């Protein structure tokens, strides 16, 4: 009997899964399910259930590989454990987005000799004060990469005073630079409980599906980690999705190429050179966090199939693409007729409470109370119902979305593609009703509206690609004028990209051909590009990349 491996990618919009034969390396089956943001394991469970429904016995599956956006999204959204950072040594104070930062005496010299005795009294007082205020600790001592004694002593002391997870910087990074080393330790400390919850839900889903096989979690450097590694060093899964993207891109047969993943929430760009993914020469940077975490050289920016289309009539009819993601009309069930709520200004979205919303908790929030009492409404109606508008209403809705208490539904490029007949994965009729409502508000025909939405999306993707390439040639500060001058009222610049593009993602075939034409390059779509990240995850799980770090460094330096 043939054996199989399963690859799963939990993206911002969809959770994709593939079943790959180990003997032929061919994709036997692939599925897509909506990502369940409140519990990613639910979406993973549905994918497993569907893949096994094709008649493959669970015992024939010998590995499950998962790439996830959990760590990246948690960092961007500010979620995770409350972390206390303890720093020892005469160092310049620095800031990290943690609950508390405490700087104390201690540390070692570059020779490994003690520079100053560890301030044990200050350590004890600090930990006693922090008990109950934090969930985990990160420790960073000067030159601990030469002598980790002070970090190890502090770890023991914390274990006695406040038994919670402790992350020592020398255990997560062997590089100098205290700021980045501390940030690396803090990220591990912050993400550990989220990873524990995610992996627990994945294991529960596996049990329900009857699977009993090893699990590989995809890391940002394009390698796999087992469950224990993923928990103890959770931050290594940052850039997990782009790593799977790059690995799939290697299957296209190009030696040097750009791999562009057009997702629902973001567009990710990375590069392969000499047939392998390129690693970043610097540690991975996520938002405010500059770390020593090894990761694929990639660039991610907001803009994809589910970006919010904002229409305005302030000066003249205008259409723009917001970086925020909303749920497309075509992918929403139980939706009121868009003609009743969709239009310009504050009529640009419908606010709906999530299923199973805790009514007791909702009773303390004006917006949630109004939604439960009167039903779904657009921001214009909500403003009238609760007497709130402007920036305050916008920020309040953002907070409720972040807490996963409401859903925002609006017109998106995905809907425009449905109307134009270029995509058939959702409810076209619902998308058409939305397009009719917006076209009427802007006094234009439906086809022109949808073509402008697609053109705006292509422009966003083109800019993301140029952002990535320009920063490969010039520093960011020098690249910015070039990018902003590409098209302006006085002159325009024509760009010719010298390497081909490899497209990934269900929507990529709809947008990338026109983008490639404008950039005067070619684009290809390997087989199963719609679920490319899941394929990449499966390949990483079953095949080890070259283990020698010097190999990867050589590849990166060839930039």
């Amino acid at each position: 009997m043939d054996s199989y491996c399963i690859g799963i990618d939990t993206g911002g919009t969809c959770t994709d899964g593939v079943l790959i034969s180990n003997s032929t390396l061919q994709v036997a089956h692939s599925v897509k399910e909506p990502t369940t943001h409140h519990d990613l394991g639910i979406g993973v469970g549905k994918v497993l259930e569907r893949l096994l429904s094709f008649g493959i016995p669970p015992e024939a599956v010998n590995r499950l590989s998962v790439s996830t956006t959990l760590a990246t999204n948690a960092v961007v959204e500010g979620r995770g454990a409350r972390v206390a950072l303890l720093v020892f040594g005469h160092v310049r104070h620095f800031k990290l987005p943690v609950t508390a930062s405490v700087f104390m005496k201690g540390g070692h010299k570059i020779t490994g000799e003690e520079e100053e005795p560890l301030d044990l009294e200050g350590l004890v007082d600090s930990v006693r004060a922090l008990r109950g205020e934090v969930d985990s600790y990160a420790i960073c001592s000067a030159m601990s990469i030469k002598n980790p004694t002070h970090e190890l002593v502090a770890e023991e002391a914390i274990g006695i005073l406040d038994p919670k997870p402790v992350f020592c910087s020398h255990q997560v990074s062997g590089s100098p630079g205290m700021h980045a080393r501390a940030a690396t330790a803090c990220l591990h400390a912050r993400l550990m409980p989220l990873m524990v919850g995610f992996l627990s839900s994945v294991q529960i889903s596996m049990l329900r599906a009857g699977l009993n096989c090893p699990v590989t979690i995809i890391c940002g450097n394009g390698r796999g980690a087992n469950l224990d590694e993923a928990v103890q060093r959770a931050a290594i899964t940052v850039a997990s999705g782009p790593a799977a993207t790059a690995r799939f891109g290697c299957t296209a047969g190009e030696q040097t190429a750009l791999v562009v993943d057009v997702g629902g929430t973001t567009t990710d760009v990375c590069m392969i050179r000499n047939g392998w993914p390129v690693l970043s020469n610097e540690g991975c940077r996520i938002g405010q966090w500059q770390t020593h975490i090894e990761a694929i050289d990639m660039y991610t920016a907001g803009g994809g199939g589910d970006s919010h289309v904002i229409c305005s009539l302030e000066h003249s009819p205008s259409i723009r693409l917001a970086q925020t993601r909303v749920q497309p009309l075509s992918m929403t069930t139980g939706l009121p007729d868009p003609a009743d709520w969709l239009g310009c200004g504050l009529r640009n979205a419908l606010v709906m409470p999530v299923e199973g919303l805790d009514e007791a908790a909702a009773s303390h929030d004006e917006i949630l109370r109004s939604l439960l009492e009167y039903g779904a409404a657009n921001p214009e109606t909500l403003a009238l119902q609760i007497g709130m508008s402007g920036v305050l209403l916008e920020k309040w809705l953002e907070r409720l979305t972040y807490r996963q208490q409401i859903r925002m539904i609006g017109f998106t490029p995905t809907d425009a593609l449905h109307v134009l007949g270029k995509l058939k994965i959702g409810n076209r009729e619902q998308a058409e009703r939305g397009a009719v409502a917006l076209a009427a508000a802007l006094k234009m025909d439906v086809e022109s509206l949808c073509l402008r939405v697609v053109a705006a999306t292509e422009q966003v993707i083109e800019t993301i690609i140029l952002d990535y390439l320009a920063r490969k040639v010039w520093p960011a500060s020098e690249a910015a004028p070039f990018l902003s001058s590409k098209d302006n009222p006085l002159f325009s610049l024509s760009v010719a990209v010298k390497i081909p593009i490899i497209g990934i993602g269900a929507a990529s075939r709809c947008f990338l051909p026109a983008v490639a034409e404008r950039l005067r390059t070619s684009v290809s779509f390997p087989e199963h590009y719609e679920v490319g990240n899941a394929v990449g995850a499966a390949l990483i799980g079953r095949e080890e990349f070259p283990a020698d770090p010097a190999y990867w460094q050589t590849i990166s330096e060839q930039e």
Side-chain angles (χ1 to χ4, degrees):
M1 181 175 64
D2 196 3
S3 64
Y4 299 84
C5 60
I6 290 178
I8 290 180
D9 175 66
T10 60
T13 302
C14 289
T15 296
D16 298 340
V18 295
L19 190 70
I20 293 181
S21 166
N22 286 319
S23 60
T24 65
L25 293 187
Q26 296 299 307
V27 175
H29 302 287
S30 64
V31 299
K32 279 181 175 287
E33 284 285 336
T35 294
T36 48
H37 289 275
H38 64 288
D39 185 347
L40 297 178
I42 295 175
V44 171
K46 290 181 178 179
V47 166
L48 290 177
E49 182 181 347
R50 286 187 59 192
L51 286 175
L52 295 176
S53 71
F54 291 106
I56 305 299
E59 58 270 20
V61 178
N62 63 8
R63 182 164 299 276
L64 170 65
S65 299
V66 182
S67 66
T68 174
T69 59
L70 175 66
T72 304
N73 290 348
V75 173
V76 172
E77 296 168 1
R79 292 185 288 119
R82 299 171 299 169
V83 179
L85 170 64
L86 307 179
V87 182
F88 307 121
H90 288 294
V91 297
R92 184 177 181 179
H93 289 202
F94 51 79
K95 290 184 178 180
L96 287 171
V98 295
T99 300
S101 297
V102 183
F103 291 79
M104 289 174 280
K105 296 178 181 178
H108 292 76
K109 300 177 182 178
I110 194 170
T111 59
E113 298 175 11
E114 186 178 73
E115 185 170 42
E116 192 170 16
L118 179 63
D119 183 5
L120 278 172
E121 186 176 344
L123 172 64
V124 170
D125 290 342
S126 296
V127 174
R128 284 175 174 166
L130 291 167
R131 281 187 303 195
E133 302 298 324
V134 298
D135 306 308
S136 56
Y137 294 85
I139 305 170
C140 188
S141 179
M143 281 298 134
S144 62
I145 56 175
K146 295 294 184 180
N147 188 336
T149 301
H150 286 181
E151 289 190 359
L152 294 173
V153 170
E155 181 181 20
E156 288 292 327
I158 293 170
I160 295 171
L161 297 167
D162 189 16
K164 289 174 181 171
V166 179
F167 293 81
C168 298
S169 73
H170 77 275
Q171 294 170 337
V172 299
S173 171
S175 302
M178 285 192 68
H179 192 171
R181 188 151 40 88
T184 305
C186 286
L187 263 188
H188 287 308
R190 183 167 186 162
L191 295 174
M192 179 185 182
L194 293 175
M195 188 57 64
V196 169
F198 172 61
L199 296 181
S200 296
S201 64
V202 168
Q203 289 178 299
I204 291 171
S205 298
M206 290 178 66
L207 287 172
R208 289 173 178 165
L211 286 178
N212 183 24
C213 61
V215 179
T216 296
I217 305 300
I218 308 306
C219 302
N221 63 2
R223 300 175 188 170
N226 60 36
L227 295 182
D228 288 340
E229 286 179 281
V231 168
Q232 294 302 323
R233 303 184 66 193
I236 61 177
T237 64
V238 169
S240 173
T245 296
R247 181 63 185 91
F248 177 74
C250 295
T251 67
E254 298 283 358
Q255 287 296 297
T256 302
L258 280 178
V259 186
V260 182
D261 177 12
V262 182
T265 309
T266 63
T267 292
D268 301 334
V269 184
C270 55
M271 184 179 288
I272 56 174
R273 189 177 290 278
N274 294 338
W276 291 102
V278 175
L279 283 185
S280 173
N281 288 323
E282 301 177 355
C284 182
R285 182 179 182 88
I286 314 102
Q288 303 177 60
W289 303 82
Q290 178 61 55
T291 74
H292 287 157
I293 298 167
E294 190 179 51
I296 294 291
D297 181 52
M298 45 76 72
Y299 179 62
T300 298
D306 297 349
S307 295
H308 194 181
V309 174
I310 305 294
C311 298
S312 173
L313 278 171
E314 285 187 12
H315 303 293
S316 60
S318 68
I319 298 170
R320 68 178 178 87
L321 215 62
Q323 288 193 339
T324 52
R325 175 191 177 272
V326 292
Q327 196 167 307
L329 306 182
S330 54
M331 307 300 288
T332 307
T333 57
L335 188 67
D337 189 343
D340 297 332
W341 56 269
L342 184 60
C344 298
L346 289 178
R347 297 177 60 85
N348 60 38
L350 185 71
V351 186
M352 299 179 72
V354 298
E355 294 180 11
L357 179 65
D358 186 340
E359 295 190 16
S363 64
H364 301 289
D365 184 285
E366 285 186 75
I367 290 179
L368 296 179
R369 217 167 38 235
S370 178
L371 291 173
L372 290 176
E373 184 175 352
Y374 300 110
N378 59 28
E380 181 180 77
T381 301
L382 278 175
L384 295 173
Q385 290 173 345
I386 64 177
M388 181 192 305
S389 61
V391 175
L392 180 58
L393 177 62
E394 180 183 344
K395 295 299 180 185
W396 202 318
L397 291 173
E398 282 181 9
R399 186 166 67 249
L400 293 176
T401 303
Y402 162 68
R403 290 176 180 172
Q404 296 175 350
Q405 293 177 307
I406 62 171
R407 293 184 295 158
M408 299 287 286
I409 295 93
F411 195 80
T412 68
T414 295
D415 295 311
L417 292 174
H418 275 86
V419 175
L420 294 170
K422 296 183 178 182
L423 204 59
K424 299 178 182 180
I425 60 175
N427 187 329
R428 177 176 178 175
E429 183 183 349
Q430 206 154 254
E432 287 176 335
R433 289 202 298 268
V436 168
L438 282 180
L442 293 172
K443 297 179 173 58
M444 62 170 50
D445 64 89
V446 168
E447 184 178 12
S448 297
L449 166 78
C450 294
L451 288 174
R452 285 184 60 175
V453 169
V454 170
T457 310
E458 291 167 351
Q459 183 62 58
V460 167
I461 295 170
E462 180 184 352
T463 300
I464 291 171
I465 292 173
L466 290 175
D467 270 336
Y468 176 81
L469 291 174
R471 283 159 176 75
K472 303 292 288 180
V473 180
W474 303 291
S477 58
E478 295 179 14
F482 160 78
L483 293 170
S484 61
S485 300
K486 184 175 180 296
D487 191 14
N488 60 69
L490 299 179
F491 65 92
S492 62
L493 299 176
S494 177
V495 177
V497 173
K498 296 182 177 180
I499 57 178
I501 294 173
I502 299 168
I504 296 181
S508 63
R509 191 181 282 276
C510 302
F511 298 120
L512 288 182
V515 172
E517 185 177 352
R518 284 205 293 269
L519 295 177
R520 293 192 283 172
T521 186
S522 62
V523 61
S524 62
F525 302 93
E527 188 178 11
H528 305 297
Y529 74 94
E530 306 96 326
V531 289
N533 283 358
V535 175
L539 293 177
I540 291 173
R542 71 177 306 280
E543 297 173 349
E544 286 298 324
F545 274 60
D548 183 5
Y551 174 90
W552 288 85
Q553 188 61 34
T554 300
I555 293 295
S556 298
E557 287 173 351
Q558 290 177 8
E559 285 297 294

